[in-house]
Structure formats: C-alpha cells, structure tokens
Amino acid sequence: SQTIHQWPATLVQPVGSPLSLECTVEGTSNPNLYWYRQAAGRGLQLLFYSVGIGQISSEVPQNLSASRPQDRQFILSSKKLLLSDSGFYLCAWGGPQAYEAFFGQGTRLTVV
Amino acid sequence: GNSVTQMEGPVTLSEEAFLTINCTYTATGYPSLFWYVQYPGEGLQLLLKATKADDKGSNKGFEATYRKETTSFHLEKGSVQVSDSAVYFCALSDDGANSKLTFGKGITLSVRP
C-alpha cells in the first residue's frame, strides 16, 4: 500500500532563518506531488505541485520554493523565513490518473 | 477559476443529532467532488468522493450527493458521535484526473456528549 511521510511534525524557527521540509511517498511511482499551506481560518492554499522530477509549478508568488530531486521526494524550502510563513504545511500525493489526493500528517511551522 | 464555498461555522451538535454541512462549487467542465476530514493535529483524510453527477459518496455513516443542477455537494449524517468532532473540508478537482484540488475554508464540528 502507499504511504506518505512528512517531517518534522513541528518546527519553531527564527525570522530570517532557512527552511527545509521533506516529504516522501512509498508504494507508488510517478506520483503527482503537492504542497499546501493551512493558515488559521483560511482553509488550504495550494503552494506548489509537481508532475515529475524537476517539474515544479508555483500557484502563488511567495517566499518559498519547492524541488523534486527524486521521483517520490518533494522538498519545500525558504532561504529566509518571514513571520507570515507560519502555518500548517501539508504534503499530498495523487496518482497520475487519480482524482483524489492523499495527505501526510503535516508540519506545524512557527516563525518567531 | 474554480471555487468552493462552505457554510460558516463552527457547528456544535449534541450526540445523535442530524448533521448537514452545506457545500457549493463553481467550476468549468466536470469536476470530481470530495469531503475530507481533519482531526486535531493531523493531516487530512479522504472521507468520501463522487466523480460524476448524481453519484452518492458514502463512508462511516456520512453521505453526499453530487448535484450538478444546484452545483452542490452537501454532507449529511443521520446520527453524529463525539468522535466525529473534527474539521470538514469540501473540495473539487480540476476537470480531468490530476488530483489537483481546490478546497473550501473548512468548518469545525463539535459534538457534545
């Protein structure tokens, strides 16, 4: 069966520090991969998605970037965090011919 | 572009009460529709889905019917339990099977014993 791993679960970082969140998927190949952010009271916002290695689409301009160095690995990064980057970050995957997405457990990021 | 509108929350019910959470959507083409549930501190879990008009998705006593004529996908459960307390998100996918989802804002359900 397919599983998705996301870490760390919680993270407290100072303003101006770098960020790296990692997500890996097991039990499938060539998945579509997604990064969402959930801010308090604002639902889920799609940040990035990828349909293959090295292929990244950005949905909103921001202080973050994403990379997909391997087929089942998706990384969310920032060079310098802002206070507004605080939130709950969720990685998700979907099959190339699937309608739904499956989510990891999320990372709670607090920028102080 | 696509959008999903959920009723305002939060919602508080007593155990065994009937639940309805409204969801309407705007989309081009023929999207698939979903309800996801998020328990405290966790990621989202797919609760149910419907991929074409008049389909009924169901799971764990929850149901929702894809109504194209009213562009709605309301979530219902006949008798809620304390364990149903969570945040519920309505979502749609783009036309086509690519799993790229647009979400509503979510609604918090609290069920009292």
Side-chain angles (χ1 to χ4, degrees), chain B residues 12-104:
Chain B
T12 302
L13 296 174
S14 296
E15 202 165 26
E16 299 185 2
F18 183 84
L19 169 72
T20 299
I21 301 177
N22 290 342
C23 172
T24 57
Y25 67 91
T26 301
T28 55
Y30 301 95
S32 293
L33 301 174
F34 309 90
W35 277 100
Y36 281 82
V37 59
Q38 184 180 33
Y39 298 102
E42 298 185 6
L44 274 70
Q45 299 176 25
L46 178 64
L47 181 60
L48 54 83
K49 67 180 181 182
T51 58
K52 60 182 186 296
D54 300 324
D55 267 3
K56 177 185 284 188
S58 62
N59 185 26
K60 299 181 181 180
F62 291 90
E63 293 183 340
T65 301
Y66 189 149
R67 300 289 188 196
K68 189 170 176 61
E69 64 275 13
T70 55
T71 62
S72 65
F73 193 54
H74 304 322
L75 183 68
E76 296 182 337
K77 186 174 186 181
S79 176
V80 294
Q81 305 301 312
V82 172
S83 57
D84 294 326
S85 299
V87 181
Y88 291 82
F89 292 92
C90 185
L92 62 80
S93 68
D94 286 356
D95 192 9
N98 64 11
S99 61
K100 183 181 171 187
L101 302 178
T102 299
F103 284 87

Side-chain angles (χ1 to χ4, degrees), chain A residues 32-50:
Chain A
N32 294 338
L33 296 172
Y34 306 89
W35 279 110
Y36 287 86
R37 178 168 59 201
Q38 184 179 17
R42 295 183 59 185
L44 281 87
Q45 181 182 39
L46 179 62
L47 302 177
F48 301 96
Y49 72 96
S50 172

